[in-house]
Amino acid sequence: MPAATRPPFKSSERTGEAAAPDLLAIRNAITSAIDAGVWATTPPPQEITIAGIRALRFIPNGESRGTVLHFHGGGFRLGCPEQVGPFAAALAARCSVSVICPAYRLAPEHPFPAGLSDGWSVLQEIEALDNLPLILSGDSAGGGLAASLAALSTSNTFRPAGLSLLSPWLDLTVDSSSYQQNAASDPIFSAASAREAAQLYLQGHSPDDPLASPLCGSAKRLPPTLINVGAGEVLLDDAKLFHNKLIAENIPAQLHIVKDMEHVAVTRSFELAGAKETFETLVSFISSRLSSTAE
């Protein structure tokens, strides 16, 4: 893989603000759950540092066929690699890939573009050290990061083998109609929580910057893409509209809408409605992309 260049960020990294007590309390609860082994996997992941950024790497039993770089969700202000551990471990085993989950910096202490900058640094280092096919992936806000990184990669001579977006948050303007239409059927996310998360992340930066909201940018040269979303999610329109952009640019794209599935169910628990179906669809997509790259 050719080495990528520094992305043309429209805003340099900025000093953020302190997290509110309620946000810190949620983060502390997540840390306590990690310590209690809530998301533990067997075998445990490798603790690694890539470009100075902590990450977890889940490896297959045998030789790896490729790398999946997955970004966790949490509205850019919450979440960590451990929370997607069981999902990442299962994906590594089924697809014979290494799954790398970075602990990118969170808002409000580190506003846009800090998380994106971390993702780009990790991607650059993987490109430089690994000749295996690379698939970008993310859930919720992490899906937005993955889509932005895919666009940056294609503009810097490297095209990932694929892009998987799970209940992705792709438009930080928070003005799509599905926020109102699916308000009663989405217990996880809402217009109010999206606006709060966007404010903490952007801190005055324009929400329609394509690097923050991939739906506002070009889909040209993006890699083959899988988009998965629940039919009752407030982010349904983000998924549909992004799929339309990909199709308009003749990018191979699959939109997988699952009835009665909650937000990012597949990364939360395989016992949730739609999670197993989503996982099998993702496995099929990754396997097809690895096979196509190998030809």
Side-chain angles (χ1 to χ4, degrees), residues 21-265:
D22 59 342
L23 182 58
L24 291 176
I26 298 173
R27 290 180 182 173
N28 289 335
I30 291 173
T31 299
S32 295
I34 293 171
D35 293 341
V38 171
W39 298 289
T41 61
T42 303
Q46 298 173 342
E47 289 263 3
I48 61 174
T49 299
I50 305 179
I53 297 158
R54 185 181 79 88
L56 299 183
R57 178 166 56 198
F58 300 82
I59 60 174
N61 291 329
E63 186 175 351
S64 178
R65 300 175 60 206
T67 300
V68 174
L69 178 56
H70 182 86
F71 295 88
H72 67 78
F76 303 104
R77 68 206 191 288
L78 288 167
C80 59
E82 285 82 359
Q83 288 182 281
V84 296
F87 159 77
L91 198 63
R94 278 290 301 278
C95 296
S96 296
V97 293
S98 297
V99 182
I100 297 175
C101 305
Y104 58 88
R105 287 172 292 171
L106 300 176
E109 299 95 328
H110 306 285
F112 174 88
L116 187 63
S117 178
D118 286 352
W120 184 257
S121 296
V122 170
L123 178 59
Q124 281 188 306
E125 186 156 321
I126 292 175
E127 289 178 50
L129 299 176
D130 192 349
N131 289 320
L132 294 173
L134 186 144
I135 293 172
L136 286 168
S137 177
D139 62 277
S140 195
L145 289 176
S148 293
L149 289 169
L152 285 168
S153 295
T154 58
S155 67
N156 283 276
T157 72
F158 165 63
R159 191 172 190 244
L163 174 64
S164 68
L165 305 175
L166 308 172
S167 299
W169 189 18
L170 303 169
D171 183 2
L172 272 58
T173 65
V174 194
D175 62 2
S176 68
S177 59
S178 60
Y179 278 102
Q180 287 70 47
Q181 293 170 352
N182 288 342
S185 58
D186 192 337
I188 306 298
F189 209 37
S190 68
S193 59
R195 292 190 183 101
E196 178 187 9
Q199 186 277 323
L200 292 176
Y201 179 56
L202 295 171
Q203 295 186 29
H205 190 83
S206 175
D208 58 9
D209 180 346
L211 292 178
S213 298
L215 188 58
C216 297
S218 171
K220 288 183 178 180
R221 295 192 69 247
L222 285 178
T225 300
L226 169 68
I227 308 172
N228 166 266
V229 68
E233 290 195 56
V234 297
L235 294 179
L236 179 63
D237 281 353
D238 280 30
K240 286 182 173 180
L241 294 171
F242 197 67
H243 179 255
N244 291 344
K245 288 180 74 85
L246 291 164
I247 296 301
E249 295 291 349
N250 296 314
I251 304 296
Q254 178 183 354
L255 176 61
H256 182 227
I257 301 176
V258 184
K259 183 180 179 181
D260 298 327
M261 185 181 75
E262 292 183 357
H263 185 57
V264 296

